[in-house]
Amino acid sequence: MEPQNTVPAPVVPAPLLSAPLIGPISLWRYAWGKYRANWKPLTTIILLPYAATYIGLGLMAIETLPFTILGGLVMFVGVVLTMAAYVGLMDASVKLGSDVPLPHLTDQYRTGFKLFWGFVLLGIIQYAVMAGSLVLFIIPAVIVSIYTSFAFVAYVADGKKSISAFTESFAAVRGRWWKTLGRILFLVLVHIAVMLIIVGIRFLASLLFGYKFGSGPDVIVGTLLQVVVALVLIPVVILYVTKLYQSLKETRADLPTKTFKNWLVAFIVIGVLAIISLPVVMGTVIKAQLDAKAQLDAGVGLENK
């Protein structure tokens, strides 16, 4: 008699999360520590687009046609630089998370422009997804927005493009949606606290220097404070989000994403249809109002005769 094969079949374990997700306080400490150690290159990356934007606003304030056109062009350059700077900051955050030394500023912007159009495509997809999910009201939009909140980081950090970046974000968040929401809400609370501090400083400055709150000097002080805070807070937030994405990846389970991808495509189609139909609907409503007003004016004119 031949011996039977008694080797058991391999058991496929259920997907488990390998480690707890990093908490919001630890994330903030990490982001702040990395920023403090690298504040000069990180701040310089975001400073250039801010400078271009405010120079453009200053030129447009002259209120003559040549300066208005020139200011508009400079502001457009500022918008392009802003998008490249965000990509550069994400790339720098990924490098810092891997303890890789940051390259020169021009290299970070070179990376930003290299990934620029893919970043724009992700923004268009995100806009369509949000529009499509909002058609089903606010709750589906909130759910989808959290699942897709790391698509841009997945693009920069892992090279995931278009739909793959969104499914990668979903795979990282799935099973930790509420925990991810809590960590994002922590950033919202920090932002609210910082804005309240800025308002308090503006109010105290108006009392000390004798100008009205909301007057020209107060607007200048508020603008300067917001720029300074943005130069610090934007890199810190990107470091926070990048680290959160890395923690989500390290602790995620290997789960399928096909169903979410199908939903994503459906949201994109609905969103595109909604975006296309919105001008048509608005035009129809405006035309109906104008026709009604014209009929009313014609009726009043006949009565006056």
Side-chain angles (χ1 to χ4, degrees), residues 54-76:
Y54 281 99
I55 290 172
L57 287 172
L59 291 171
M60 293 181 70
I62 298 176
E63 295 184 353
T64 58
L65 184 60
F67 283 103
T68 299
I69 295 173
L70 181 60
L73 291 174
V74 174
M75 286 191 66
F76 176 76

Side-chain angles (χ1 to χ4, degrees), residues 81-282:
L81 288 175
T82 298
M83 297 181 67
Y86 272 92
V87 177
L89 280 173
M90 285 186 185
D91 181 68
S93 299
V94 173
K95 287 184 172 69
L96 289 175
S98 303
D99 294 324
V100 176
L102 291 182
H104 192 267
L105 174 66
T106 55
D107 294 322
Q108 290 300 140
Y109 266 98
R110 189 176 293 112
T111 300
F113 284 114
K114 180 181 178 182
L115 302 177
F116 180 85
W117 290 111
F119 199 81
V120 171
L121 177 60
L122 288 182
I124 294 172
I125 295 174
Q126 180 85 321
Y127 183 76
V129 169
M130 289 298 99
S133 57
L134 278 170
V135 171
L136 303 177
F137 303 109
I138 189 67
I139 293 179
V142 172
I143 293 173
V144 173
S145 66
I146 299 301
Y147 276 130
T148 59
S149 56
F150 300 97
F152 294 94
V153 186
Y155 171 60
V156 176
D158 299 324
K160 302 293 183 180
K161 298 179 181 180
S162 62
I163 300 297
S164 296
F166 291 92
T167 56
E168 184 71 12
S169 175
F170 168 77
V173 174
R174 187 175 181 181
R176 281 82 54 82
W177 189 92
W178 285 106
K179 292 182 179 180
T180 305
L181 175 64
R183 284 150 179 79
I184 293 175
L185 287 178
F186 178 84
L187 285 180
V188 175
L189 292 176
V190 169
H191 184 264
I192 292 173
V194 171
M195 291 301 103
L196 290 175
I197 291 172
I198 289 177
V199 172
I201 294 174
R202 288 172 56 189
F203 182 74
L204 290 175
S206 66
L207 292 178
L208 288 173
F209 296 103
Y211 55 78
K212 291 183 179 180
F213 189 81
S215 63
D218 175 61
V219 172
I220 294 173
V221 171
T223 301
L224 290 174
L225 287 172
Q226 288 179 1
V227 170
V228 171
V229 168
L231 293 176
V232 175
L233 204 57
I234 290 173
V236 173
V237 168
I238 291 178
L239 283 162
Y240 180 104
V241 172
T242 303
K243 182 64 176 178
L244 176 55
Y245 172 71
Q246 291 172 342
S247 180
L248 286 165
K249 283 204 311 176
E250 291 167 359
T251 60
R252 77 179 184 182
D254 188 13
L255 298 171
T257 60
K258 183 177 179 180
T259 301
F260 179 76
K261 183 178 180 180
N262 293 338
W263 275 104
L264 205 62
V265 173
F267 282 135
I268 292 172
V269 172
I270 295 171
V272 170
L273 292 176
I275 294 169
I276 293 173
S277 63
L278 183 61
V280 176
V281 173
M282 291 181 63

